[in-house]
């Protein structure tokens, strides 16, 4: 006997059946409880045996109750998927060199990341120089006579330089990126990635592609690439 769909309570036939969260669903009925976006086995998140998308997943207080077998399975699955896709792209483009075929999506991503790193370092250097007191020194206001030598054998004459016009004070440049909060722990799998802990704030975030971002961990000061599905905007 065919089971009933948990959403519409109609019969679910084998060709359109989705078995998840200990229930049966039509493929079209397996959707987010809030926005009704159609989900699949790779992008859903379960909470109290109901499916949600990543944007509308109910927020938890990160207690011991949140580490349910379902959440641990989803966390491990997401981590393995990100690492496998990253390794596949790396192996495909490994050793191709800078030739006509070097303009691949992977090389474009690396080039864009380097440009973003240069832009972030430029703003950091600008802030350091501005906060470090590198402003031009003010000329002395003493009269020209005070610059004359006390001895009569020398008769140098100095003229005071005009006081330079100081630029109007301006606020710091806008942030190079958005701010995000980590929702899982992540350990860097490569030297161009960055590790962080659950709850860390990621600043200066730049979107690289659908799966990866570049940012700096506010707690440690380290910066590098990080998986987009491990953080959320704040």
């Amino acid at each position: 006997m065919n089971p009933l769909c948990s959403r519409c309570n109609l019969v679910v036939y084998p060709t359109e059946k989705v078995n998840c969260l200990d229930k049966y669903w039509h493929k079209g009925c397996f959707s987010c409880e809030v926005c009704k976006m159609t989900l699949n086995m790779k992008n859903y998140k379960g909470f109290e045996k109901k499916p949600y998308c990543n944007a509308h997943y109910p927020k938890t207080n990160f207690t011991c109750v949140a580490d349910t077998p379902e959440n641990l399975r989803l966390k491990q699955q997401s981590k393995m998927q990100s690492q496998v896709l990253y390794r596949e792209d790396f192996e495909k483009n490994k050793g191709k060199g800078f030739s006509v075929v070097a303009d691949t999506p992977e090389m474009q991503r690396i080039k864009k990341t380097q440009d973003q790193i240069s832009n972030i370092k430029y703003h950091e250097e600008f802030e350091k120089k501005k906060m470090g007191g590198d402003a031009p020194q003010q000329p002395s206001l003493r009269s020209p006579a005070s610059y004359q030598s006390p001895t009569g054998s020398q008769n140098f004459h100095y003229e005071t330089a005009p006081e330079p016009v100081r630029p109007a004070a301006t606020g710091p440049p806008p942030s190079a990126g958005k701010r995000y909060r980590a929702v899982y722990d992540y350990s860097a799998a490569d030297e161009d990635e960055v590790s962080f802990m659950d709850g860390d704030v990621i600043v200066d975030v730049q979107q690289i592609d659908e799966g990866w971002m570049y940012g700096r961990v506010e707690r440690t000061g380290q910066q590098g690439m990080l998986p987009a599905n491990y953080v959320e905007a704040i």
Side-chain angles (χ1 to χ4, degrees):
M1 182 177 179
N2 294 317
L4 298 180
C5 175
S6 297
R7 180 77 67 192
C8 64
N9 291 325
L10 298 179
V11 176
V12 181
Y13 296 98
T15 56
E16 56 180 358
K17 181 171 64 176
V18 175
N19 184 7
C20 187
L21 300 175
D22 297 331
K23 298 179 182 179
Y24 295 96
W25 318 75
H26 291 104
K27 291 181 180 179
C29 293
F30 189 61
S31 58
C32 175
E33 290 287 324
V34 179
C35 65
K36 307 305 179 184
M37 181 182 73
T38 302
L39 305 172
N40 54 47
M41 299 299 292
K42 294 183 179 179
N43 62 2
Y44 85 95
K45 286 190 174 183
F47 182 78
E48 295 183 352
K49 295 189 177 181
K50 294 180 181 180
Y52 293 89
C53 66
N54 185 57
H56 296 102
Y57 182 73
K59 305 300 180 184
T60 60
N61 294 326
F62 298 101
T63 63
C64 58
V65 181
D67 289 331
T68 61
E70 179 69 14
N71 288 341
L72 293 175
R73 184 184 68 81
L74 289 173
K75 179 179 178 181
Q76 185 67 20
Q77 179 182 354
S78 177
K79 182 176 180 180
M80 292 177 60
Q81 182 181 0
S82 298
Q83 292 179 352
V84 168
L85 291 176
Y86 178 81
R87 293 297 178 184
E88 285 179 356
D89 291 339
F90 178 81
E91 291 297 330
K92 287 179 181 178
N93 297 282
K94 184 177 181 181
K96 289 186 176 181
F98 294 92
S99 61
V100 178
V101 296
D103 195 17
T104 61
E106 177 69 14
M107 296 303 297
Q108 291 177 359
R109 181 178 67 82
I110 295 176
K111 181 179 179 181
K112 185 176 180 180
T113 302
Q114 292 175 345
D115 293 341
Q116 291 170 349
I117 294 174
S118 299
N119 186 36
I120 292 173
K121 288 184 176 180
Y122 170 79
H123 285 288
E124 289 178 350
E125 292 295 329
F126 179 85
E127 287 295 329
K128 289 180 181 179
K129 290 182 179 179
K130 185 172 182 179
M131 302 304 294
D134 290 340
Q137 297 182 356
Q138 296 294 327
S140 176
L141 299 179
R142 291 185 295 174
S143 63
S146 63
Y147 287 95
Q148 296 179 0
S149 174
T151 61
S153 61
Q154 295 180 348
N155 191 21
F156 296 110
H157 179 70
Y158 293 91
E159 293 183 358
T160 58
E163 182 177 355
V165 179
R166 301 181 62 182
T170 58
S175 176
K178 299 180 180 179
R179 294 169 61 87
Y180 286 75
R181 179 180 287 109
V183 295
Y184 303 116
D185 295 343
Y186 182 75
S187 298
D190 211 335
E191 59 182 10
D192 60 348
E193 297 179 8
V194 65
S195 300
F196 52 83
M197 298 179 62
D198 184 6
D200 278 348
V201 176
I202 315 297
V203 298
D204 299 333
V205 177
Q206 299 287 339
Q207 188 74 34
I208 298 175
D209 52 31
E210 293 183 358
W212 289 89
M213 296 178 172
Y214 182 89
R216 175 169 60 85
V217 182
E218 191 174 55
R219 178 176 58 84
T220 63
Q222 296 180 349
Q223 57 188 10
M225 295 193 306
L226 59 142
N229 56 356
Y230 273 55
V231 297
E232 61 179 6
I234 58 176

